[in-house]
Amino acid sequence: MNRSAPILCTVLAVAALAACSKRDAPPAAPPASSASTAQAAPADAGIAWVRAASDAEVDAAFARARSEGKPVFVYWGAKWCPPCNQLQATLFNRQDFIERSRAFVPVYVDGDKPGAQKLGTRFAVRGYPTMVVFDRGGQELTRLPGEVDAQQYNEVLTLSMSAQRSAKAVLAQARAGGQGLVEADWRLLAYYSWETDQQQLAGAGGVAALLRELAQACPAAHADSAMRLRLKALAVADSQAGPVAGAAAQRAPVLALLADAAQSRRHMDVLTNSAAGLASALSAAGSAERKSLLAAFDGALVRLQADASLSRADRLMALVARVQLAQLDAPGKDKSAATPAALRAEVRDMAVRFDREITDGYERQAVITTAAWALEQAGLMEDSDALLKANLAKSHSPYYLMADLADNAKKRGDKAAALDWNAQAFDKSEGPATRLQWGARYLGMLIELAPQDAQRVERAAAQLFDEAAAMPDAFEARSGRSLQRIGGHLSGWAKGGAHGDAMKRLQRQLDEVCAKLPAGESRRLCDGVLKPGSSA
């Protein structure tokens, strides 16, 4: 989990991705849920999901797709993930999406089902949520963004389902000069989920260089696609390197976008999630250009923050972007003091109001975590703690909130509280992949804040290795990366020969786990967990 990213479990951030609903296309009736209960009724009951956790189940879904002549929509998610809950609350429960789902075979892979992490490796997915569209023959067509609003999502979904060629094939033609490409082709690239690409299209060169290339190549006649590619390219620029080349020429169209309510609404996901990065790419700190750009941004973000057609999570992200822009040029690591008092009051008021208004369990998981982060970003740490604690009993995944409480305590310098909340979060976490992820986080903080407590460190690591031994896919996808982080934490703890006896016991325990694995990549990764450099 990365509190410094927007409402994203991607790593991507993922960046980090939220969908939103619109008034003019109302969702189906929300699931019955009380603000005082931790249970969330299924929001996607109308979708005939194929719930898959094995190759055989996925293969059966593709066989069905071939026989019915339908594409396949794969959704990779997790119960605790805030943007996954956002999708449940604002997209998967919409009648128009439910009806559209009958035109494809919808496959849901819950990352915590036994064996599901192996599917993560098969589909090259890392962060939750990731959504991939395949043709009936099993070829990947595209990856869908989860952060655009629901109506726009349906537009992109329609485009993807009707695509005659994959995004990979369209990209190759774009890079070869683009002759013959039509608006639909450029839209397929502009609305591709670059945050969850995992080098499927970008390759070794990386997303940043590729997006710059596409932004320059997209014809101005395809205005919407050209603007989105420009924004995406600017958003991934190195914020420490100063303004990008040609910043002055690129500033004018962005300023025009910010002044246009309809256009800024259409690209609200990039504007809210990447405001500080865009400002850094287009202007130098302290310059007159920076000042005018920040004023234009604030005006656009104020509109988005007040836009009732946006989801609560998206409106909160507009407010978070305003806070981040206010702190952009502030010195030091803790920039919260640079937040104007009036802006702090807006953050506090919106958090309180949304907490009071929400009745849907999925929306609560998405919004409260974002609101608590917004409060922390604005320097309202006590308010953030109070909001999180008040929602522990209302959340279906309270361990996520506990981890946020641990982060807050650590930032305050309260080591004991940070470790206690992290221990509780690990203890309450559910699902094998999630427990390894939360366990890696707990072990890392334990080694950072209390490295002298060797018994506690060894006990936690031994428990994680025991749990990994019981998993059929412990060294696949996210779980494999969690175990590599665990190994990294322990190797750092034992640097210079410290804690030699404990490390020998842990190595023997891990050797027993590895010995039971068949020869191959998983065995190689297992053997390298406590031997940095031997596993990639």
Side-chain angles (χ1 to χ4, degrees), residues 395-411:
S395 171
H396 57 65
S397 303
Y399 44 91
Y400 192 99
L401 280 63
M402 292 172 181
D404 284 352
L405 284 162
D407 284 341
N408 284 355
K410 180 184 174 183
K411 188 172 183 179

Side-chain angles (χ1 to χ4, degrees), residues 111-460:
D112 271 311
K113 294 298 183 183
Q117 291 298 314
K118 187 176 180 181
L119 293 178
T121 300
R122 171 174 173 173
F123 293 129
V125 296
R126 291 171 66 99
Y128 304 130
T130 297
M131 289 160 284
V132 189
V133 176
F134 298 86
D135 66 16
R136 68 192 66 175
Q139 177 190 22
E140 180 174 323
L141 290 175
T142 192
R143 299 190 172 212
L144 298 173
E147 70 272 27
V148 297
D149 75 18
Q151 179 172 308
Q152 200 170 354
Y153 189 93
N154 278 329
E155 294 175 13
V156 176
L157 181 61
T158 299
L159 175 70
S160 304
M161 294 295 177
S162 59
Q164 299 300 308
R165 295 181 301 158
S166 68
K168 183 176 182 179
V170 173
L171 174 64
Q173 188 171 344
R175 302 189 79 175
Q179 186 173 359
L181 293 183
V182 298
E183 168 63 7
D185 295 321
W186 284 107
R187 281 178 59 77
L188 192 67
L189 297 178
Y191 286 90
Y192 179 79
S193 180
W194 296 103
E195 293 81 2
T196 61
D197 174 62
Q198 296 307 310
Q199 297 187 330
Q200 299 306 290
L201 266 62
V207 170
L210 179 56
L211 282 172
R212 286 195 298 270
E213 180 183 342
L214 290 175
Q216 293 170 358
C218 184
H222 305 315
D224 182 71
S225 298
M227 175 55 73
R228 188 169 186 86
L229 285 168
R230 178 184 290 115
L231 291 173
K232 286 286 189 179
L234 290 169
V236 297
D238 182 1
S239 61
Q240 303 301 315
V244 298
Q250 298 198 62
R251 222 170 16 247
V254 173
L255 286 169
L257 168 73
L258 294 172
D260 187 321
Q263 286 302 302
S264 57
R265 169 67 171 78
R266 185 163 181 80
H267 296 288
M268 65 86 195
D269 55 305
V270 190
L271 297 181
T272 58
N273 289 330
S274 306
L278 291 168
S280 296
L282 291 170
S283 61
S287 66
E289 292 80 11
R290 171 72 59 90
K291 184 176 180 180
S292 63
L293 189 61
L294 293 183
F297 251 115
D298 197 64
L301 293 169
V302 167
R303 286 197 309 270
L304 294 172
Q305 180 186 324
D307 189 342
S309 72
L310 286 172
S311 72
R312 291 182 178 91
D314 287 323
R315 294 167 67 188
L316 262 171
M317 282 308 302
L319 182 53
V320 170
R322 293 179 64 204
V323 171
Q324 292 174 335
L325 288 175
Q327 300 173 358
L328 183 58
D329 295 331
K333 291 184 178 180
D334 185 2
K335 300 175 181 290
S336 59
T339 309
L343 195 52
R344 288 189 181 193
E346 288 187 60
V347 175
R348 181 185 286 115
D349 291 347
M350 183 172 276
V352 170
R353 176 158 52 89
F354 285 176
D355 183 33
R356 182 178 64 248
E357 292 174 352
I358 295 171
T359 59
D360 175 86
Y362 292 110
E363 185 184 19
R364 181 166 293 280
Q365 185 72 5
V367 172
I368 294 303
T369 51
T370 308
W373 178 55
L375 289 164
E376 180 264 325
Q377 289 282 286
L380 299 169
M381 195 73 74
E382 291 183 4
D383 297 80
S384 179
D385 278 358
L387 181 67
L388 291 166
K389 290 175 182 177
N391 275 275
L392 288 173
K394 302 175 187 178
S395 171
H396 57 65
S397 303
Y399 44 91
Y400 192 99
L401 280 63
M402 292 172 181
D404 284 352
L405 284 162
D407 284 341
N408 284 355
K410 180 184 174 183
K411 188 172 183 179
R412 289 195 309 270
D414 189 342
K415 294 183 180 181
L419 288 173
D420 181 61
W421 279 118
N422 239 333
Q424 289 188 61
F426 175 43
D427 181 61
K428 298 293 184 184
S429 61
E430 300 173 342
T434 293
R435 286 193 57 75
L436 284 186
Q437 182 177 343
W438 257 251
R441 173 192 168 86
Y442 169 52
L443 183 67
M445 188 174 283
L446 181 59
I447 288 173
E448 178 185 357
L449 301 183
Q452 74 285 352
D453 195 342
Q455 281 190 325
R456 193 175 178 184
V457 170
E458 183 179 358
R459 186 167 60 247

